[in-house]
Amino acid sequence: MAKRNELQEKEWRVREFLRSKGLKALLLKRQANFSWMTGGGLNLVGIATEMGATSLLITEDSKFVISNNIEAPRMIEEEGLEKQGFTVKAFPWHEDREMAILQELIGDGPVGCDVHFPNTIVLAEEIARLRYSLTPGELERYRWLGEKVSLAMEKTLMETKKGEKESEVVGRLCQETWKDRIDPIGLMAAADDRMFQFRHPIPTERRVEKYLMVSVNARKWGLVVCLTRSVYFGKLPSSLEEKYEANVFVDCTLMAHTRPGTPARDVLQKGIEAYKGKGFPEEWKLHHQGGSIGYVPREYRVNFKTPDIIQENQPFTWNPSITGTKSEDTILATSKGPEMITYPILYPTLSMTVGGISFTRPAILKKKGGVKVPKLKV
């Protein structure tokens, strides 16, 4: 019943969209929109692809899956789309018949699409907004995902040893998430001075001497959560600890002001003021501050021209950074205040009250020594 209600809600949103735009149908080709429309289904083959291998077509009174004969059986058997009320329109893999099938089903009426496709109107941003406010079923799945990924990340870093490669640590994190078929679709890791040099440090074979930061975007049922954790071997310098806590304060400020009905760009301004108040007025210019998340790692990155108003039950991940530190977790914007979707479970914590809201945030994990790995002569 819950799944049926979710699917009915999404069909209603799409059909209201059709009426408001004067469209005969909506063609959805991106994997994010497929997952959203089917309540967590997958039409992708490679986990890093944006485009799905099958398409959905929704009209005023019908739903179709347009698929080649390779993917059609799985759409029926494993994704259960016929049981959801979709009619499967399959064609031989060696014939490019999607446009012809679309013409047969719709005729000459206007069709909206989430990508560029012949004889359709591209409405990617408007379509994305249909999925911003999560349904009760999505919330249940999202909370489960947040807990699982938080545990996977913190378990991985608590087991990390001095001398390990960034890539080794990230590999173990991927193993932890894949136990539950959670796709790690975005990974960053920075050891020691790399953390002070790069805002987007892709994992390398650099070995950890004292300091390591790891970030992950992780996806299941199409939904994505994001978080960052750090570990330090030996005595944590007070200057780094103070900088990290200042950055956490900025993050809490952003989260505290992420309220339904608030323009997203107003929240960004609050964050910039927090940077200034902590003595780091220029740091926000060195990296985007994050924004809405959900079925992609960022539905939109907030800037001064962002037009969107925050919706009830809309997920956000802010990612403020002060050189050498990063603070990042996924939240849900609700009328009762931000709900943490990812959060510290095994990690040491910091307590902070901002805007009348109490936050429990992850501290930098401090570890003693570890196994030293000698540098190899090449």
Side-chain angles (χ1 to χ4, degrees):
M1 180 62 74
K3 185 68 167 286
R4 183 185 303 171
N5 291 341
E6 177 182 341
L7 298 177
Q8 287 176 346
E9 165 67 20
K10 291 173 179 179
E11 287 180 34
W12 178 84
R13 292 185 194 182
V14 167
R15 287 176 174 138
E16 283 295 302
F17 183 77
L18 294 179
R19 283 189 280 274
S20 69
K21 296 291 184 180
L23 301 171
K24 286 188 70 176
L26 198 62
L27 182 66
L28 302 177
K29 298 180 67 63
R30 294 178 186 266
Q31 65 83 18
N33 289 323
F34 182 96
S35 293
W36 173 74
M37 193 70 199
T38 59
L42 293 177
N43 69 337
L44 48 75
V45 177
I47 67 169
T49 56
E50 182 180 8
M51 298 295 292
T54 64
S55 304
L56 300 179
L57 182 70
I58 298 92
T59 69
E60 293 180 356
D61 55 13
S62 301
K63 302 190 298 183
F64 301 93
V65 182
I66 303 175
S67 172
N68 63 40
N69 64 312
I70 302 171
E71 306 303 326
R74 198 184 71 77
M75 294 297 105
I76 296 169
E77 295 299 324
E78 293 190 340
E79 300 301 343
L81 296 192
E82 285 186 336
K83 294 178 181 178
Q84 290 188 14
F86 286 92
T87 300
V88 178
K89 294 289 186 178
F91 57 91
W93 66 266
H94 51 86
E95 297 180 10
D96 186 6
R97 293 207 66 245
E98 184 170 357
M99 192 163 62
I101 291 173
L102 181 64
Q103 180 71 24
E104 291 168 8
L105 294 173
I106 302 302
D108 297 325
V111 178
C113 190
D114 55 0
V115 295
H116 288 279
F117 191 76
N119 302 323
T120 66
I121 304 166
V122 182
L123 297 168
E125 291 185 7
E126 292 93 330
I127 293 169
R129 291 189 178 101
L130 299 177
R131 62 179 190 244
Y132 287 175
S133 179
L134 301 188
T135 64
E138 288 171 308
L139 293 178
E140 184 178 348
R141 298 194 293 273
Y142 208 46
R143 290 171 182 135
W144 181 94
L145 179 61
E147 180 180 14
K148 284 288 185 179
V149 179
S150 298
L151 277 168
M153 171 70 89
E154 295 187 354
K155 180 177 183 290
T156 298
L157 285 183
M158 292 186 81
E159 293 174 352
T160 295
K161 295 179 174 63
K162 187 176 181 180
E164 281 192 288
K165 297 177 183 179
E166 296 169 352
S167 53
E168 284 183 275
V169 177
V170 166
R172 289 190 291 105
L173 173 59
C174 292
Q175 182 181 20
E176 284 295 321
T177 60
W178 264 92
K179 289 178 182 178
D180 293 297
R181 187 47 177 85
I182 297 169
D183 296 332
I185 59 172
L187 294 157
M188 287 188 280
D192 303 297
D193 60 299
R194 290 192 74 232
M195 186 57 196
F196 295 82
Q197 292 178 295
F198 311 114
R199 252 42 180 205
H200 283 164
I202 63 172
T204 70
E205 293 187 79
R206 172 70 179 270
R207 294 187 184 275
V208 182
E209 295 177 15
K210 290 186 176 181
Y211 187 32
L212 176 68
M213 181 279 302
V214 178
S215 299
V216 66
N217 288 305
R219 180 184 65 204
K220 190 175 179 71
W221 304 298
L223 290 163
V224 183
V225 297
C226 184
L227 71 155
T228 294
R229 297 291 184 267
S230 299
V231 59
Y232 196 93
F233 294 91
K235 182 175 175 55
L236 180 64
S238 58
S239 58
L240 181 59
E241 189 167 28
E242 289 169 5
K243 189 184 288 188
Y244 176 78
E245 290 185 11
N247 197 31
V248 171
F249 177 82
V250 176
D251 196 8
C252 290
T253 300
L254 290 163
M255 291 189 289
H257 289 89
T258 305
R259 301 165 181 160
T262 302
R265 61 177 177 266
D266 289 0
V267 182
L268 173 63
Q269 189 59 49
K270 292 292 184 180
I272 292 171
E273 292 168 6
Y275 273 107
K276 183 177 180 180
K278 286 295 180 178
F280 299 94
E282 302 299 313
E283 287 282 332
W284 68 270
K285 298 178 181 179
L286 302 178
H287 187 251
H288 74 83
Q289 300 300 297
S292 176
I293 193 172
Y295 280 87
V296 292
R298 294 296 183 276
E299 297 281 9
Y300 57 80
R301 294 173 178 176
V302 181
N303 59 48
F304 299 118
K305 295 182 179 179
T306 298
D308 292 87
I309 305 298
I310 296 170
Q311 298 183 25
E312 183 76 22
N313 292 330
Q314 182 177 2
F316 275 80
T317 298
W318 301 103
N319 46 250
S321 59
I322 297 174
T323 302
T325 70
K326 185 179 181 183
S327 179
E328 183 176 40
D329 267 301
T330 301
I331 65 169
L332 194 70
T334 80
S335 55
K336 297 179 181 179
E339 176 187 337
M340 302 304 304
I341 295 297
T342 62
Y343 45 87
I345 298 175
L346 305 175
Y347 249 50
T349 60
L350 301 170
S351 295
M352 200 171 288
T353 300
V354 180
I357 299 173
S358 296
F359 291 93
T360 300
R361 306 295 295 121
I364 295 176
L365 175 65
K366 303 171 188 176
K367 298 189 71 174
K368 294 182 180 179
V371 178
K372 293 186 178 180
V373 178
K375 293 183 179 179
L376 300 176
K377 293 182 180 180
V378 180

